[in-house]
Amino acid sequence: MHRTPLIGATLALALLIPGTPAVRAHHSTADVVFEWNQILQDTVPVPQNPLTPRLFAMTHIAMFDAINTLEREFEPYHVRLRHGSGGSSEAAAAQAAHDVLVAINPNARATYDTALANRIGTDPSGYVHLGAAVGAQVAKEILAWRQNDGWVVSPFPPYAEPPGVPGRWQRTPPATAAPTFTHLQNAAPLALVSPTQFLPAPPPTLQNPRYATDLNEVSLIGRSNSATRTPEQTAIARLWAGIGASGSGTATNFLSVWNAIVRDVARERQLSLVETARVFALVNVSVHDGLQTSQTSKFVYGLWRPVTAIQQGDPFSGTTPDVTWTPLLTTPPYPSYAGNMATIGASAARALQLAFGSNDVPVTATWKQSAGPDVSADFAGFWQVAEQQAESRIYGGIHYRFDSLAGQQIGRSAAEFVFANYMTRRDRWDD
């Protein structure tokens, strides 16, 4: 059942005792963070919707701020509570995650209620009550902070679609759907100053030799029946797009891949509870704000997709129409530049590199397929994963290489900003 009423009576007591140093949960484990991260992966919508990274980021911010209120090792991300009477950090994390998820994804409330009850127990001690009280208050403040942040909009604002202008985005086959997520340049980031803070320079013009080179590359390797794309490259494109080898799909997506990497490295390095919560928040916030920036870039520059450029041709780059050309992957319904998938990979990889002080950390990415055995790939470091993620969109025929390079620039910048300005280490007794 929903546990917030249970702990409500202790909240005022927990928050009104000033001046006493918080009690650190020295023996707490990071299992609660891993548990709720897996619940996120199992219950939230597929991440083609930018609201999914938002849910991951908000939940992990809430868990971090709840734990850190009690353990006091870092600057708060958003919620700063004066709390001096101790409490269970694990209960704080579970309650915070539960309350955020119930509010934003109520369809899975039964799952969230069960997980919270299993974590807190049927007869929680006063110590657990106090921790849960902190978690509930943190979640309440996180939800209030993001209530009117501009992310949830319906219908999407219209976007000008000038017909027949070479280089300008046009609706793409097969569905020729209207552009989606046109509103994100007006939404509030979680960390960045604005969605255009790290906007990349404009893409190359159609007369630029770089444009012709990259167009020719995606034309050859990204074609649905490409003779130059290897079977491994085809598999990479499909896996990062959530398409299994059998064509039936995977149960894994880019958020699952990166969050599993965070989990594995945090376990290997035996990070504390608060340190684990911080790394999950760093990665998911960086992905969130990087993705918002790249999606904003698309509508600022409005560059046409490879399928349009190749099928129509244009006199500026000297290309002739190829009306038979189709990409391996279905083109998403919005402009090309910069590349979202490249941004996501670079955001996550750079955040992890900064958090662990090195890129050279061997990791494994695993895709669970709906039909057939799991597919795993080993990587020498975080950036190698990001490089493959970016390349996958060129192999898939839906991005130019300069799209991916711009996306990686965005991702690195977003992660560096988040790392430098949020959840920095402090004297834990300093209020």
Side-chain angles (χ1 to χ4, degrees):
M1 64 178 179
H2 183 42
R3 308 294 287 191
T4 301
L6 174 69
I7 50 81
T10 63
L11 179 58
L13 175 64
L15 299 179
L16 290 177
I17 301 177
T20 306
V23 178
R24 292 187 65 197
H26 291 283
H27 301 293
S28 62
T29 71
D31 288 348
V32 64
V33 179
F34 300 142
E35 175 187 352
W36 282 93
N37 179 267
Q38 189 60 55
I39 291 170
L40 271 166
Q41 295 186 42
D42 293 342
T43 60
V44 299
V46 294
Q48 274 62 30
N49 185 339
L51 293 179
T52 304
R54 177 177 182 263
L55 188 51
F56 270 71
M58 286 177 62
T59 304
H60 280 291
I61 289 171
M63 282 198 285
F64 170 80
D65 272 352
I67 295 164
N68 192 58
T69 295
L70 296 164
E71 305 205 3
R72 303 166 66 93
E73 291 192 17
F74 299 92
E75 290 296 323
Y77 188 98
H78 177 74
V79 180
R80 184 182 295 272
L81 301 178
R82 288 187 60 84
H83 178 81
S85 58
S88 165
S89 298
E90 291 93 336
Q95 188 78 54
H98 169 274
D99 291 2
V100 169
L101 286 169
V102 165
I104 300 180
N105 192 34
N107 290 338
R109 177 168 186 157
T111 299
Y112 304 144
D113 287 351
T114 299
L116 181 64
N118 290 340
R119 170 62 61 172
I120 290 181
T122 57
D123 186 23
S125 66
Y127 181 71
V128 170
H129 270 293
L130 290 173
V134 169
Q137 182 63 22
V138 167
K140 181 179 179 181
E141 295 196 24
I142 293 295
L143 291 167
W145 169 44
R146 304 308 297 184
Q147 184 173 10
N148 298 304
D149 61 5
W151 275 80
V152 183
V153 172
S154 181
F156 296 125
Y159 175 70
E161 303 174 49
V165 177
R168 292 289 297 175
W169 182 79
Q170 300 167 39
R171 300 188 187 194
T172 53
T176 61
T180 56
F181 311 123
T182 57
H183 67 296
L184 293 188
Q185 60 188 306
N186 299 314
L190 285 167
L192 302 189
V193 176
S194 77
T196 58
Q197 181 179 353
F198 296 117
L199 196 71
T205 64
L206 304 192
Q207 299 93 333
N208 190 316
R210 178 59 190 271
Y211 171 81
T213 297
D214 289 3
L215 177 63
N216 183 61
E217 178 187 31
V218 70
S219 176
L220 291 173
I221 201 168
R223 190 181 191 118
S224 58
N225 59 350
S226 172
T228 62
R229 187 180 57 245
T230 67
E232 180 184 15
Q233 291 169 334
T234 299
I236 288 169
R238 292 166 66 85
L239 283 172
W240 282 107
I243 304 171
S246 66
S248 60
T250 74
T252 303
N253 53 62
F254 62 77
L255 278 176
S256 298
V257 169
W258 281 110
N259 278 271
I261 288 172
V262 176
R263 177 201 63 211
D264 293 346
V265 179
R267 279 178 171 163
E268 179 187 349
R269 299 296 178 91
Q270 298 183 318
L271 297 190
S272 69
L273 174 60
V274 70
E275 290 168 339
T276 298
R278 175 175 174 264
V279 174
F280 271 105
L282 283 171
V283 169
N284 284 289
V285 171
S286 298
V287 167
H288 176 280
D289 279 15
L291 178 58
Q292 182 186 13
T293 303
S294 59
Q295 188 69 20
T296 295
S297 172
K298 292 177 182 297
F299 291 105
V300 168
Y301 294 119
L303 181 68
W304 63 4
R305 287 283 187 165
V307 64
T308 310
I310 295 166
Q311 288 187 357
Q312 293 187 9
D314 73 85
F316 300 104
S317 59
T319 57
T320 56
D322 182 355
V323 296
T324 68
W325 193 92
T326 56
L328 174 67
L329 303 176
T330 299
T331 302
Y334 34 76
S336 196
Y337 183 86
N340 283 346
M341 198 63 78
T343 299
I344 291 162
S347 299
R350 183 61 174 145
L352 285 166
Q353 180 183 4
L354 291 167
F356 291 105
S358 174
N359 175 63
D360 300 326
V361 178
V363 294
T364 299
T366 300
W367 289 263
K368 297 183 180 297
Q369 299 197 80
S370 303
D374 295 349
V375 176
S376 294
D378 296 325
F379 298 88
F382 304 128
W383 193 254
Q384 191 177 41
V385 186
E387 287 280 18
Q388 186 188 94
Q389 189 172 359
E391 291 289 319
S392 74
R393 305 312 249 186
I394 301 170
Y395 302 155
I398 62 175
H399 273 298
Y400 314 94
R401 183 166 295 278
F402 56 75
D403 288 344
S404 292
L405 293 174
Q408 289 179 328
Q409 174 192 324
I410 292 169
R412 284 192 296 264
S413 298
E416 289 164 3
F417 184 87
V418 174
F419 185 82
N421 292 280
Y422 288 84
M423 299 178 291
T424 54
R425 192 172 292 276
R426 66 170 187 176
D427 178 347
R428 64 190 176 94
W429 309 127
D430 180 16
D431 288 324

